[in-house]
Amino acid sequence: MIAESESTYLTNENFDTAIFAGGCFWCTESDFDKMPGVVSTISGYIGGTVVDPTYEQVVSGKTGHVEAVMVYFDKTKTNYSKLLNAYWFTIDPLTPNRQFCDSGAQYRSVIFYRNSEQKEQAEISRNMLDLSGRFTKPIVTEILPAVEFYRAEDYHQDYYQKNPLRYKYYRNNCGRDTRLKELWGTQH
C-alpha cells in the first residue's frame, strides 16, 4: 500500500502531458515516441462537437475534431519547451488545413495547451519561430485550449510499430519527410 502511494505521488510529481496535432496521428506519435523523456503517446481526437467520435466521423471533416497525440513525458528528463521545439520540426507550420498529403481541417497543426504556463510557452515558441526570419509566409499553427481528448481506436495506437511496412509506405507516399526536409533541412 505504501509503495503504491509513493508511486502515485512520483507519477503526479514528475510526469505531465502535452497535446499536439500535426496531421496524421500515426506520424506524430512516431516522431514523439523517439524523443528522450517521452514515456508514452496516445493517438486521438480533440476539438470537435461530437462526443466519442469514430475515425470515420473525424476524417469526414464534419465533427470539428483534429487528429492529435497526447504525449506523456517525464519532467525530470525533458520539459514542455523541449517538446514544443521538437514539434515544429515534425510539421509544416505554413499550410492551413493540411499536413502533407492529408487535407482538411481535421489535419491542421495545433498546439493544445492544458494550462496558462503551456499557453505562454506555446505562444513564445510560435512567436520566436515567426520572428526568426526562417519563413516568408506566416505561421498558421493554432494555439488552442485543450478540451476533451478522445482516444482513437486501438488499431491506430502504435500503428507504426504494429504495421511498419504499411506505415513506411504511407509516410513516404504522403511526402511528409520530403516536405520536412524542404522546410527544416533535416531528415526524419
Side-chain angles (χ1 to χ4, degrees), residues 124-136 139 184:
I124 289 169
S125 180
R126 182 179 63 189
N127 290 341
M128 287 178 57
L129 179 59
D130 205 26
L131 294 172
S132 73
R134 176 182 274 278
F135 303 117
T136 56
I139 305 298
W184 304 105

Side-chain angles (χ1 to χ4, degrees), residues 1-11:
M1 185 70 117
I2 292 173
E4 186 176 307
S5 296
E6 289 173 356
S7 174
T8 301
Y9 174 76
L10 289 174
T11 299

Side-chain angles (χ1 to χ4, degrees), residues 84-91 93 111 122 125-126 129 139 141 184:
L84 284 167
N85 290 335
Y87 168 72
W88 294 114
F89 292 98
T90 68
I91 65 162
I111 299 166
S125 180
R126 182 179 63 189
L129 179 59
I139 305 298
T141 301
W184 304 105

Side-chain angles (χ1 to χ4, degrees), residues 162-180:
K162 294 175 188 172
N163 301 285
L165 293 178
R166 286 183 182 167
Y167 169 74
K168 287 176 187 173
Y169 179 80
Y170 163 79
R171 186 169 179 131
N172 183 57
N173 285 345
C174 196
R176 188 177 191 105
D177 293 326
T178 301
R179 178 68 174 147
L180 291 174

Side-chain angles (χ1 to χ4, degrees), residues 41-110:
T41 54
I42 297 175
S43 290
Y45 317 111
I46 187 170
T49 57
V50 174
V51 175
D52 202 19
T54 65
Y55 177 73
E56 288 76 19
Q57 290 173 312
V58 172
V59 299
S60 76
K62 296 176 183 174
T63 68
H65 289 89
V66 179
E67 282 195 18
V69 173
M70 184 175 289
V71 178
Y72 291 90
F73 62 99
D74 182 341
K75 295 188 297 184
T76 66
K77 296 180 179 173
T78 192
N79 59 48
Y80 188 69
S81 181
K82 288 179 183 176
L83 295 176
L84 284 167
N85 290 335
Y87 168 72
W88 294 114
F89 292 98
T90 68
I91 65 162
D92 175 350
L94 307 177
T95 306
N97 296 322
R98 175 183 203 97
Q99 285 294 294
F100 317 104
C101 69
D102 294 316
S103 182
Q106 67 273 30
Y107 296 110
R108 70 190 190 275
S109 60
V110 185

